[in-house]
Amino acid sequence: MTTHALPSPDAAAPDDPAQLLEVFKALANPVRLQLLQWLREPERHFPVEEGIADPDEVGVCVSHIQAKTGLAQSTVSAYMASLQRAGLVRATRVGKWTHYRRDEQRIAQLVDVLGRSL
């Protein structure tokens, strides 16, 4: 099994107003918000036994996210790309599959910035 971290977009500083706007836009969609919540505890929400990689290490495969949401693969991919642009998740390729996991460090930075600026 070969894993490759996908290049992440140039992440602006968490306190950059444009970056905060990306976060708010990503979280304004109820499905994207639910996805981020599910990814907080991947073993609880996704079929770990069917996964080809450790969900804590590399994340959850798009196909498992698609199955849980019942949405089209293209919709799930677009939602995950939005969360990635906002700096909330990281993508990793495992073979031909893309896996996503939360970026806990980045989320903590954003929570800190929000606590100090709002």
Side-chain angles (χ1 to χ4, degrees), residues 11-17 19-20 23 105-106 109-111 113-114:
D15 56 349
D16 175 48
Q19 180 63 25
L20 286 175
V23 170
Q105 181 179 356
R106 184 81 166 160
Q109 290 172 342
L110 290 165
V111 168
V113 166
L114 291 175

Side-chain angles (χ1 to χ4, degrees), residues 82-102:
S82 176
L83 291 170
Q84 186 178 14
R85 275 192 307 276
L88 300 169
V89 299
R90 291 181 170 264
T92 302
R93 292 284 290 184
V94 180
K96 63 181 180 175
W97 295 278
T98 302
H99 289 64
Y100 288 95
R101 65 180 169 86
R102 289 167 48 112

Side-chain angles (χ1 to χ4, degrees), residues 1 3 38-62 64-65 89-92 94 98-104:
M1 166 176 53
T3 63
W38 286 338
L39 289 173
R40 186 176 189 141
E41 299 177 277
E43 305 84 9
R44 181 174 168 209
H45 297 285
F46 297 96
V48 176
E49 65 280 354
E50 295 177 20
I52 60 170
D54 181 355
D56 287 324
E57 185 180 330
V58 252
V60 176
C61 183
V62 167
H64 291 148
I65 298 170
V89 299
R90 291 181 170 264
T92 302
V94 180
T98 302
H99 289 64
Y100 288 95
R101 65 180 169 86
R102 289 167 48 112
D103 187 337
E104 296 296 347

Side-chain angles (χ1 to χ4, degrees), residues 6-14 16-27 29 32 36 74-91 100-101 103 106 110:
L6 296 179
S8 55
D10 294 329
D16 175 48
Q19 180 63 25
L20 286 175
L21 187 56
E22 281 297 319
V23 170
F24 292 138
K25 286 193 291 187
L27 297 178
N29 177 291
R32 287 192 296 259
L36 194 62
S74 58
T75 301
V76 171
S77 291
Y79 282 176
M80 297 313 296
S82 176
L83 291 170
Q84 186 178 14
R85 275 192 307 276
L88 300 169
V89 299
R90 291 181 170 264
Y100 288 95
R101 65 180 169 86
D103 187 337
R106 184 81 166 160
L110 290 165

